Amino acid sequence: MQSPRLVYRKLGQTDFEPYKRWYTDEQVMQLITGRPLTFEEVDTRFAAALKTNRNYPDLGWYRADLPDEGFAGIVKLTPAGPFTAEVGYGLLPAFWGVGLGTEMLGALIAYASGLETLHTLTAIIHPDNLASRKILLAQAFAITEEGVRDDGPFVAFARPI
């Protein structure tokens, strides 16, 4: 997977430190989990991400790097049901506001469009994440549900591919 400014690579065992950096960043997690994750929670999620990468060769969790600056964020394309995958994307705060979120989602859509096993993409965000809401709506995602679950309020989106 590629985009104009970012290089994507599936997460591997050696990517724990950047993964931890992202999931423990207070600004990043404010609109995802509401708080930075503990190191134990990061370990658990990282193991699950690596398992997804092993079990689904065409899908998974990726790190996104800027060639001259290194680790910038994380994207995911994970199973979400028959012929459906969930997209996710996020950047470290130093890279916010320069269009990289739009670029990440565009790369995920382009990649997913080439997979015969996928017909629909979904996304779930916190309602206060206005930047992601704008990005998703601009990429033809439609709101399918809004509500509250155990981990807090959410807005769900979907789009055909």
Side-chain angles (χ1 to χ4, degrees), residues 58 83 111-119:
D58 292 335
F83 304 105
Y111 176 75
S113 296
L115 299 175
E116 293 178 14
T117 56
L118 293 179
H119 299 161

Side-chain angles (χ1 to χ4, degrees), residues 7 11 21 23 35 39 44 66 68 71 84 96 107 129 160:
V7 176
L11 287 175
R21 189 167 128 211
Y23 270 105
R35 62 173 176 77
F39 292 129
T44 300
L66 286 163
D68 295 335
F71 179 72
T84 304
W96 290 356
N129 192 338

Side-chain angles (χ1 to χ4, degrees), residues 64-127:
D65 292 285
L66 286 163
D68 295 335
E69 299 178 61
F71 179 72
I74 292 175
V75 300
K76 73 173 186 173
L77 183 66
T78 56
F83 304 105
T84 304
E86 181 180 340
V87 296
Y89 51 91
L91 294 155
L92 291 171
F95 305 106
W96 290 356
V98 294
L100 290 173
T102 298
E103 187 172 317
M104 290 170 133
L105 181 57
L108 288 166
I109 293 167
Y111 176 75
S113 296
L115 299 175
E116 293 178 14
T117 56
L118 293 179
H119 299 161
T120 304
L121 294 177
T122 64
I124 298 172
I125 65 166
H126 188 282

Side-chain angles (χ1 to χ4, degrees), residues 18-150:
Y19 185 90
K20 179 178 77 175
R21 189 167 128 211
W22 193 76
Y23 270 105
T24 58
D25 185 285
E26 189 169 335
Q27 286 182 280
V28 170
M29 292 295 105
Q30 185 61 42
L31 293 176
I32 298 174
T33 62
R35 62 173 176 77
L37 298 185
T38 66
F39 292 129
E40 184 176 284
E41 290 169 321
V42 172
D43 283 337
T44 300
R45 283 189 183 218
F46 188 69
L50 294 181
K51 183 177 180 183
T52 297
N53 285 359
R54 282 191 306 275
N55 292 341
Y56 298 93
D58 292 335
L59 305 177
W61 290 82
Y62 300 78
R63 64 179 285 160
D65 292 285
L66 286 163
D68 295 335
E69 299 178 61
F71 179 72
I74 292 175
V75 300
K76 73 173 186 173
L77 183 66
T78 56
F83 304 105
T84 304
E86 181 180 340
V87 296
Y89 51 91
L91 294 155
L92 291 171
F95 305 106
W96 290 356
V98 294
L100 290 173
T102 298
E103 187 172 317
M104 290 170 133
L105 181 57
L108 288 166
I109 293 167
Y111 176 75
S113 296
L115 299 175
E116 293 178 14
T117 56
L118 293 179
H119 299 161
T120 304
L121 294 177
T122 64
I124 298 172
I125 65 166
H126 188 282
D128 294 339
N129 192 338
L130 301 180
S132 277
R133 180 186 295 252
K134 181 179 175 183
I135 290 168
L136 288 160
L137 292 172
Q139 293 287 343
F141 280 79
I143 295 173
T144 58
E145 185 180 0
E146 296 186 63
V148 178
R149 17 178 222 212
D150 292 342

